[in-house]
Amino acid sequence: MKDTNCLLTVAICLMGYASSSHAQAVSGSASGDTAPSVNSAQTQAQTETGDIVVTAQKRSERLNDVPVSITAVTSAQLAKQDIRGPADLEKIAPGFTYSASQYGTPVFAIRGIGTYDEAASAQSTVTVYTDQIPIVFARLTEGASLDVERVEVLKGPQGTLFGQNATAGAINYVLAKPTSELKAGVDATYGRFNQADFGGFISGPLTNSLRARLSFRHEYRDDYQESSTRSDTSGRRDFTTGRLLLDWSPTSRLQLELNVNGWRDRSDTQQSQARGYLPVNSAPPLTPATIATATALLAYPYLTVNSNRLADWDPGVSYRRDDWFYQVAGRLDYELADHLHLVALSSYLQSKLRLPIDADGTNVRALFVLQTAQLHSFSQEIRIEGDTGRLRYVVGGNYGHDYSNEVQYTEIHGSNAQIPVSATLVLPFDGDNELNKQVVRTLAVFGNLDFRVTDQLTVQGGVRYNDERRNFEGCLSDRADLPLGLRPIFPGITPGQCITTLPDGTLGLFRDTLKENNVSWRGSLNFKADANTLLYVGATKGYKAGSYGTIPALSYLQFKPVSQESVLQYEGGVKTQLLDRAVDVQAAVFYNDYRDKQTQGQILVPPFGNLPYLINVPKSRVYGAELNLTLKPIRGLRISGGVTYVNSKILGSVQVANPFNTDTVNAGGETLPLSPKFQGVVDAEYDFPVSAAVNAYLGGSTTSRSAAYSTIGSRKGPAGTGDEFKVDGYTLLDLRAGLEFGERYRVQVFGKNVTGKAYWNNVTHIYDTYSRITGFPATYGVSLSARL
């Protein structure tokens, strides 16, 4: 009772204040030991043997027994490398790439499979989960890494167990659970740009059967971006997140878990770096506003040097976002009989987003966008897990209901802010609203089985049937709060009215329904050559659902949705441990038959010109190989690294708009966008005792990727190279050194991108300029950690 009272007291204080090697290995999480549970007993037992344990197949297994390419990293290693969220996983998972979009939506890809979409409602080909519960919208994943036990990056389609929209893979954050004893911890970091981060957790029993864990983190940083044309700065970080976990075990067969979490982001939107003038409409400017804008953009001093800090934006405008998110999730585990479990996962999440965006990346007010969205999602999974000795199986079903309501408020003064009516009459306009509301209902049933033919040979198979109905409402509407809006070109409309032409010739809100179904499947043969060596070969089919884009559609015909994409992957691999586990090897080769890939291209939308638009690429292929090694050559030294080779190609003919003029180009034969051929990571750490009570360590890591192109159809530039849209390759170096005082205290100094490498991860063309989205400059600081 004393511990309970102490826990409650500290929890109240923390709530008042709040308004972490590749494995789950020997000692558990740096955040504190977790209590055994119905679904973690096997994990506990295997952890004590020193084996690597993952839940990639929704059950606890040794990593070397799972026929899937996986990167698993503990919370301790995540903390040492300062890996905060999904965007940082490039540092530990070769083959995974992150790119930022101009509107802030993250673009995740694995082995060249990814989807670029600026929409707030975008769903990635790499789905992010916390304890197997999906965060369906990519924009909402930034708080998933709070207080975790480990993260698992699963490569290749994961549709049979994790559902559709995981054609590239899945990221599963395994959360640190409530403990059976009172534990607490705090973490603090101070660094360059006045970075000041603070967080912590408290965990323990409330009663004999009820345990709780409360965690939070606040991240702050001053402006790091500088205007290239004046004395002005931007780029503040202001992010707060928290989570409450409750575990209740009323009986030995029943366990209930509750997860209540949320975050708020008041950071500045990242400013892009304009590199050149490229109007979306090639017609000559004819109105006072378009003439003035074109004149200013032609004379603008576009950057020619590489810099991570220089950018530009409209002066006198606040770019502070106002985004919030919360989620309530639950899990029920019930032991129906020996080796037979019922698992139920439920989740409801809600978010509201508000992002001001300078879409041209200059100090000229050519295009300003205020993106707003309301997002809701409910998911329910029920499954039964059984084990009869040689046969293990999972059968279950899913229901999902997702809602998104996005409005992009645009203020336009650039090349397409005019409508030529005749040779002598040109009508101006200064803005519009683009509406996109989607309601998605998803039903699925699935099954997965493992049959051990012999003690060495196992056959695995899985299948999922998925049925989806997507209802869409959207239009281009007048912006009533601007002097002109669209009213000069549509006389007689009421302020704010939809002006999209419908099938019957009237103007209004367009409604449509997209119905899709598919069957994902997986099969593999797995051979255990010995206790530490697995050979496997398999094939997997996965799907990502179709969707509707957010565009200024004058006609309902422009709202044609992209259809679902599919990936058929063939993979063979080996996992082994050598020299008494001093060497750990994972290697794989793969081939992906990629159909109807969804990506952002260009579409000619008269009279607006070339605009970003979601398209399907009918056929492409991706093949490659990867190798991951962990070496422990001497006591105290660990070297881990990996390299991935990806060769992608668009097959056949794909006609897309040419961003350099108003014709179309054939993108056939090009590589897939944002798909570097080579990626590599290396991390090394040497730890040694300083005294009986103090341990020291030195470490460093490198992250490398080769060049790629940001979009298809962009390589027919004036010089024929398309270098305007090239993302150069780069190598980043991080360093760290620290002291550990037993298992309770740690102090570390760190440097990230210590060479100050100027790099960018995307090139965008939203409006009359093309712009780079730059990486982060060199940073350094000190972090403190205490566990009580």
Side-chain angles (χ1 to χ4, degrees), residues 22 47 242 305 342 365 383 401 426 462-463 467 567 573 694 755 759:
H22 296 213
T47 297
V305 299
L342 171 68
R365 200 171 181 85
R383 67 179 190 258
H401 187 274
V426 179
V463 64
D467 181 88
V567 174
V694 181
T755 63
Y759 69 103

Side-chain angles (χ1 to χ4, degrees), residues 87 90 98-107 116 118 224-225 268-276 303 305-312 321 357-362 600 674 705 710 724-728 730 732 757-767 769-777:
E90 276 191 333
Y98 159 77
S99 301
S101 71
Q102 193 151 23
Y103 286 11
T105 302
V107 182
Y116 188 99
E118 297 278 4
Y224 77 96
Q225 292 191 288
D268 291 340
T269 54
Q270 182 176 356
Q271 305 297 340
S272 60
Q273 186 183 90
R275 304 293 293 194
L303 283 170
V305 299
N306 293 336
S307 170
N308 287 340
R309 299 190 63 184
L310 293 177
D312 212 358
R321 65 205 308 176
I357 302 156
D358 189 312
D360 56 80
T362 71
Q600 183 166 281
L674 298 171
R705 57 189 278 187
S710 65
E724 293 87 347
F725 293 90
K726 186 179 181 180
V727 179
D728 283 354
Y730 56 82
L732 307 179
K757 175 65 176 179
Y759 69 103
W760 58 100
N761 57 53
N762 200 3
V763 183
T764 64
H765 180 215
I766 301 297
Y767 201 48
T769 62
Y770 61 92
S771 304
R772 292 177 179 175
I773 310 297
T774 59
F776 212 73

